[in-house]
Short mmCIF file of all heavy atoms in Angstrom, two decimals:
data_model
loop_
_atom_site.label_atom_id
_atom_site.label_comp_id
_atom_site.label_asym_id
_atom_site.label_seq_id
_atom_site.Cartn_x
_atom_site.Cartn_y
_atom_site.Cartn_z
N SER Q 22 -56.03 37.05 1.51
CA SER Q 22 -56.27 35.79 0.83
C SER Q 22 -56.91 34.80 1.80
O SER Q 22 -56.51 34.75 2.96
CB SER Q 22 -54.93 35.27 0.34
OG SER Q 22 -55.08 34.01 -0.18
N PRO Q 23 -57.88 34.00 1.34
CA PRO Q 23 -58.40 32.94 2.22
C PRO Q 23 -57.38 31.82 2.39
O PRO Q 23 -56.38 31.77 1.67
CB PRO Q 23 -59.63 32.41 1.48
CG PRO Q 23 -59.73 33.18 0.22
CD PRO Q 23 -58.50 34.00 0.03
N ILE Q 24 -57.65 30.93 3.34
CA ILE Q 24 -56.86 29.69 3.46
C ILE Q 24 -57.72 28.59 2.87
O ILE Q 24 -58.84 28.37 3.34
CB ILE Q 24 -56.56 29.34 4.93
CG1 ILE Q 24 -55.95 30.53 5.65
CG2 ILE Q 24 -55.66 28.12 5.01
CD1 ILE Q 24 -55.78 30.30 7.15
N TRP Q 25 -57.22 27.92 1.86
CA TRP Q 25 -57.99 26.83 1.27
C TRP Q 25 -57.64 25.55 2.03
O TRP Q 25 -56.88 24.72 1.55
CB TRP Q 25 -57.68 26.70 -0.21
CG TRP Q 25 -58.40 27.69 -1.07
CD1 TRP Q 25 -59.63 27.53 -1.63
CD2 TRP Q 25 -57.95 28.99 -1.49
NE1 TRP Q 25 -59.98 28.63 -2.37
CE2 TRP Q 25 -58.97 29.54 -2.29
CE3 TRP Q 25 -56.80 29.73 -1.26
CZ2 TRP Q 25 -58.85 30.80 -2.88
CZ3 TRP Q 25 -56.68 30.97 -1.83
CH2 TRP Q 25 -57.71 31.51 -2.63
N GLN Q 26 -58.17 25.42 3.25
CA GLN Q 26 -57.81 24.31 4.13
C GLN Q 26 -58.65 23.09 3.74
O GLN Q 26 -59.52 22.65 4.48
CB GLN Q 26 -58.03 24.72 5.59
CG GLN Q 26 -57.44 23.77 6.61
CD GLN Q 26 -55.92 23.79 6.62
OE1 GLN Q 26 -55.31 24.84 6.48
NE2 GLN Q 26 -55.31 22.63 6.74
N SER Q 27 -58.38 22.57 2.56
CA SER Q 27 -59.16 21.44 2.06
C SER Q 27 -58.24 20.48 1.32
O SER Q 27 -57.39 20.93 0.54
CB SER Q 27 -60.25 21.96 1.12
OG SER Q 27 -61.05 20.90 0.69
N THR Q 28 -58.42 19.19 1.57
CA THR Q 28 -57.63 18.22 0.81
C THR Q 28 -58.19 18.07 -0.60
O THR Q 28 -57.46 17.78 -1.54
CB THR Q 28 -57.66 16.84 1.48
OG1 THR Q 28 -59.05 16.45 1.61
CG2 THR Q 28 -56.99 16.85 2.84
N SER Q 29 -59.53 18.27 -0.72
CA SER Q 29 -60.20 17.85 -1.96
C SER Q 29 -61.08 18.96 -2.52
O SER Q 29 -61.61 19.78 -1.76
CB SER Q 29 -61.07 16.63 -1.68
OG SER Q 29 -60.29 15.65 -1.03
N PHE Q 30 -61.24 18.95 -3.83
CA PHE Q 30 -62.06 19.97 -4.51
C PHE Q 30 -63.02 19.23 -5.45
O PHE Q 30 -62.61 18.33 -6.19
CB PHE Q 30 -61.16 20.95 -5.28
CG PHE Q 30 -60.25 21.71 -4.35
CD1 PHE Q 30 -59.05 21.16 -3.91
CD2 PHE Q 30 -60.61 22.97 -3.88
CE1 PHE Q 30 -58.22 21.85 -3.02
CE2 PHE Q 30 -59.78 23.67 -2.99
CZ PHE Q 30 -58.59 23.11 -2.57
N GLU Q 31 -64.26 19.64 -5.41
CA GLU Q 31 -65.33 18.97 -6.15
C GLU Q 31 -65.21 19.23 -7.65
O GLU Q 31 -64.89 20.35 -8.06
CB GLU Q 31 -66.64 19.56 -5.64
CG GLU Q 31 -67.86 18.79 -5.94
CD GLU Q 31 -69.09 19.51 -5.35
OE1 GLU Q 31 -68.93 20.56 -4.70
OE2 GLU Q 31 -70.18 19.01 -5.57
N ALA Q 32 -65.53 18.19 -8.44
CA ALA Q 32 -65.55 18.36 -9.91
C ALA Q 32 -66.99 18.38 -10.39
O ALA Q 32 -67.88 17.83 -9.73
CB ALA Q 32 -64.81 17.21 -10.57
N ASP Q 33 -67.23 19.04 -11.54
CA ASP Q 33 -68.59 19.16 -12.07
C ASP Q 33 -69.09 17.86 -12.68
O ASP Q 33 -70.29 17.62 -12.76
CB ASP Q 33 -68.65 20.25 -13.15
CG ASP Q 33 -68.52 21.63 -12.51
OD1 ASP Q 33 -68.78 21.74 -11.30
OD2 ASP Q 33 -68.14 22.57 -13.22
N SER Q 34 -68.17 17.03 -13.17
CA SER Q 34 -68.60 15.81 -13.86
C SER Q 34 -67.45 14.81 -13.84
O SER Q 34 -66.31 15.17 -13.54
CB SER Q 34 -68.96 16.14 -15.32
OG SER Q 34 -67.79 16.60 -15.97
N ILE Q 35 -67.75 13.59 -14.22
CA ILE Q 35 -66.70 12.57 -14.32
C ILE Q 35 -65.64 13.01 -15.34
O ILE Q 35 -64.45 12.89 -15.12
CB ILE Q 35 -67.32 11.21 -14.72
CG1 ILE Q 35 -68.16 10.70 -13.55
CG2 ILE Q 35 -66.25 10.20 -15.11
CD1 ILE Q 35 -68.92 9.41 -13.84
N ALA Q 36 -66.12 13.60 -16.43
CA ALA Q 36 -65.19 14.02 -17.49
C ALA Q 36 -64.28 15.15 -16.98
O ALA Q 36 -63.07 15.16 -17.23
CB ALA Q 36 -65.96 14.48 -18.72
#
Side-chain angles (χ1 to χ4, degrees):
S22 173
I24 308 173
W25 280 271
Q26 192 69 39
S27 183
T28 56
S29 308
F30 297 83
E31 197 179 358
D33 288 340
S34 63
I35 291 176

